[in-house]
Each structure stands twice: as C-alpha cells, then as structure tokens.
Amino acid sequence: MAADLQEKTNRYEGMLADALDEAVQAVPDETHLGDAAADCLEMAESYLDDGRHFKEADDWVNALASFSYGYGWLDAGVRMGLFDIPDDSHLFTM
C-alpha cells in the first residue's frame, strides 16, 4: 500500500507542476478577476511547495493532500475562466 501512495503522490506532484506550466492568466491584472487569478495561482504554487516539503519529510499523506488541494485551486480557476489552457490539455476538466 505504501508503494501505491508514493506512486500516486509523485504522479499528482507532476500533474500539478505541469498544470502550473500550462495555465496562462486570461484576465487583466488590474481587475477583481485578476486578483482572483493571482490568488488561485499563489495557492496552487504554495500547495506545490508544501507538498514537496512534506514529501522530503517522508509525510506522503500530507504531500498527496497538498498536491491535490493545489490542483483543485488551479482547476477551479480554469473552470471560472481565469486561466487559458491549451486545447489539447489532458490536465483539466474542461
């Protein structure tokens, strides 16, 4: 079971990192939606950093939770139209 948790955690880390690379802000910076996009991006990046910290500490459960939360923030931003993604992306629910 531990191997499954580690594999899934590593996979989610990669997915979040790739998703952060693909998402491009679609709204102007100086608007309320620009602030919302910045918040979503900051949360996703922070959860990626937190997950990597937990992984280094051999805390795989919290690492996976962090990567999942970060991905959720970014995916929600995409669904709200705050970010553009490539048409052929497999990383988002659009």
Side-chain angles (χ1 to χ4, degrees), residues 1-2 9-10 18 24 26 29-30 33-34 43 51 53 57 72 74 77 87-88 92 94:
M1 179 163 6
T9 301
N10 289 329
D18 290 346
V24 176
D29 286 336
E30 61 280 349
L33 292 177
M43 293 301 290
H53 168 78
L74 195 56
D87 289 336
D88 62 347
F92 299 95
M94 299 301 292

Side-chain angles (χ1 to χ4, degrees), residues 6-66:
Q6 290 176 356
E7 183 278 325
K8 189 172 196 173
T9 301
N10 289 329
R11 184 165 30 99
Y12 273 58
E13 177 185 12
M15 288 171 48
L16 177 54
D18 290 346
L20 281 164
D21 287 340
E22 281 192 7
V24 176
Q25 186 170 319
V27 294
D29 286 336
E30 61 280 349
T31 65
H32 176 68
L33 292 177
D35 292 340
D39 288 344
C40 286
L41 188 60
E42 180 181 3
M43 293 301 290
E45 290 170 343
S46 294
Y47 276 116
L48 179 62
D49 291 342
D50 289 349
R52 288 176 172 164
H53 168 78
F54 286 126
K55 205 169 101 166
E56 288 176 12
D58 207 30
D59 185 349
W60 293 91
V61 170
N62 282 316
L64 178 58
S66 293

Side-chain angles (χ1 to χ4, degrees), residues 65-87:
S66 293
F67 297 141
S68 298
Y69 279 119
Y71 198 87
W73 273 94
L74 195 56
D75 195 47
V78 169
R79 292 190 55 87
M80 288 187 291
L82 302 177
F83 301 101
D84 287 329
I85 56 169
D87 289 336

